[in-house]
Each structure stands twice: as structure tokens, then as C-alpha cells.
Amino acid sequence: MTPVLRDRNITLPQGSVLAPVLFYLYSNDLPVTRRRKFIYADDICLAIQGQYFSKLECSLSSDMAQMSHFCRQWRLKSSASKTISSVFHLHNTSATCKLSVFLDGQHLWHECHPTYLGVILDHTLSYREHLTKTAGKLKNRNNLLMKLPSSTWGASANTLRSSALALCYSAAECCAPVWSCSAHTSQVDVQLNSTMRLISGTLRSTPLPWLPVLSNTEPPALQRKAAEKIVKHDSWPIQPDILNPPLLRLTSRKPLWLDLQPVDIKSRWRHNWKSAQVVNSHLVCDPTIRQLHFDLPRQQWSLLNRFRMEQGHCGACRRKWRLTDLCPCGETQTMFHIVESCPLTKLKGGLSWLHSADEDAVSWLTSYGS
């Protein structure tokens, strides 16, 4: 429904601030239906639970008739073309069954993957379609961010981080409490890992625990876990459902109400970092703080991070392409060898000195990168 309130020369356009308030007042006396109603602005959803499709169809059609009568009484027009029916269950043999519901004599379209408040649903509530679409959206936005940096020039890490938070993370965290327990969240995490690689200037072989540390962003799983706290609000209608959940039928499902304990992201992040067995983890004592010299130019910042993780373009990489892996000094060339033991390129103080990135270390990075 798209209401427009008019009083002679007074008109409230769609999108105005006052229109939703006046509509809530106008529709406050919605009729009592057999089952529950969910309303957001002028988007009304009727929900019913039952064992047989025939009972569901009968109850929904009766409730739709009451809602239609209310709309006609108060001169509101219900749109049958924009109204759909959907069913959610775990009975695979009934996956192709459709509901037969009517509104004003018109048969409502049955949608297998409806979109409600921006979230794509499916009959098993696995959110696979929604997360696939979200991952595709993140991939397109990563392609836009990819235009900003380069291996030798480009935006700083701080600029890339701000752009990523606005473009990628805002889309990745939208409605996260709803789908955070889905088994398909890895599709979103893969794209966010690419986003963090763009910020830190690292390669695909970079250990995953290093990416949030170098990009100064919380790990995606912890961000989603912290977002679940918003469902614990005493005044919300959904609160009784959270406190009295239905029986768990499938052990593979992990609904959010199984674990609603508050999470301290920083403490959990520090604990995960200490338990992670990644190369050179001793360089970082606190992963939650911004690492040193986050504002270095793009070339020096990328090169510094690749030395930190010993993952960069060196002889050890050329071995994969069946090329020589020898350093000009005659030894096998690795990132650790370049900075620690090579007589031609080593830095006084080694990797620990390079991690601090003082003036001498930055000068060494500049000369090596050129």
C-alpha cells in the first residue's frame, strides 16, 4: 500500500518525515486477525503457523478478507499485484508446494524467495540466496576500490579503510543478526577478505588472521556476533519468541537464540590472536590497535606488510613458475632472507627493526622498492 493523505491543498509526498507518523495514527486500529501481524510503515505481513497447507490457506484468506475490508472502509487501496504468499518449512517433499491465497478475489502470487525488508528468504531459511547476492554486491564494490590503490601509488591505507567501511562493510553487515548463523556466511567473508587485502596491500597467500590486524577492522565473525545483542530489547515484540524458542529439530541449525551472551570484541580478538599459529605473530602484542605507520605511502605500506608476513614477490615465489629462486648473493631468496641475512639487502636490526618502521627502516623500504 502506498498511502497519500490529502486535505484539499495539503499533500504529503512519499519520503517525507511526517508521513509515516500520520500513517501510523491513521492505521492504528487495524482489525484483529487470527494470527500475528508484522508492520513496518505501510508494509504489513501476516504470519501463521500450522501443520497442513489447507488450514494455512483458509486462515490466511480469512485474515486477508478482514484487512481488505479495513482498507476499503478507510479509503486505503491494497495492491494485490504487490502482495505475495510464501511458506517456510523443512519438509523437502513439499518444497514445490504453493499456497493458494486470495485478496479481493484475486489469486496471490506465490514467491519461493520473497524479499522482506531487504532480506531474501527461502523455504528453509538458510539465507543462501541473500548471502550469494550480498557477496556479488561486495565483489562489485571491491572492484571499485581496486581502482584507488596500486603497487607503486594510490590512496593511503586510512583512505581505503574509510572507503571500505562506507561501501563494503555497510552492505556486508546489513541485517546481520538475521543471517549471522547461516552456513553460507563464508561467501561474504571471502569478499571481505579481499577488501582487507586491498587496504593492507597484501597478497592472496597472506594468513587470514593477519588481515584484520593490518587493515584495523574487526574480524567479520566477531562483528556479526556483537551485532546480535540488538535483539535483546525488552520492549520489542520479538522478545517473547527469543525467551521461549521452539524446540530445535535439526542439530545442524544454529539459531541466534542459542547463544545471546554479550561479546567483548576486543577481548575475544586478543584471545584468538594469541591462539592463532601464524608467522611472526610475536610482532603484534595487541591486534585491536592500529599498527605502526598506517599512514605510510602506498608502496612502502604494502612492502612493509609483505615483509611482516614473509609473503611477497621474491625468489621463493618464482619457484612456482619454474624460474630461479636464487638471490643475487647465491642463497635461496625469501622475504626473511632479504631483510635478515642477505649481505646485499639486509637491514640492520632485521625484521623487528623493520616492523617499528623508523626513518632508517622507511628509507630502506623506499630504496628496496625502487
Side-chain angles (χ1 to χ4, degrees), residues 84 86 88 110-116 119-123 129:
I84 61 173
S86 298
F88 308 101
H110 182 90
E111 180 62 54
C112 297
H113 300 98
T115 301
Y116 185 65
V119 179
I120 302 177
L121 308 175
D122 56 88
H123 77 91
E129 287 73 16

Side-chain angles (χ1 to χ4, degrees), residues 101-112:
V101 184
F102 294 86
L103 173 61
D104 293 336
Q106 299 185 36
H107 185 271
L108 298 182
W109 175 261
H110 182 90
E111 180 62 54
C112 297

Side-chain angles (χ1 to χ4, degrees), residues 305-364:
N305 291 333
R306 295 178 185 185
F307 276 112
R308 281 169 169 166
M309 293 164 294
E310 301 182 14
Q311 296 292 332
H313 297 296
C314 58
C317 292
R318 292 195 292 267
R319 183 190 305 173
K320 302 176 183 178
W321 306 314
R322 298 182 180 181
L323 300 176
T324 178
D325 62 346
L326 296 179
C327 182
C329 68
E331 300 291 335
T332 301
Q333 188 184 58
T334 63
M335 301 297 287
F336 184 82
H337 168 78
I338 293 173
V339 70
E340 287 282 355
S341 59
C342 180
L344 303 177
T345 60
K346 69 178 181 179
L347 173 67
K348 182 180 179 180
L351 184 60
S352 299
W353 194 269
L354 182 62
H355 176 68
S356 63
D358 62 356
E359 293 183 2
D360 294 337
V362 173
S363 300
W364 183 87

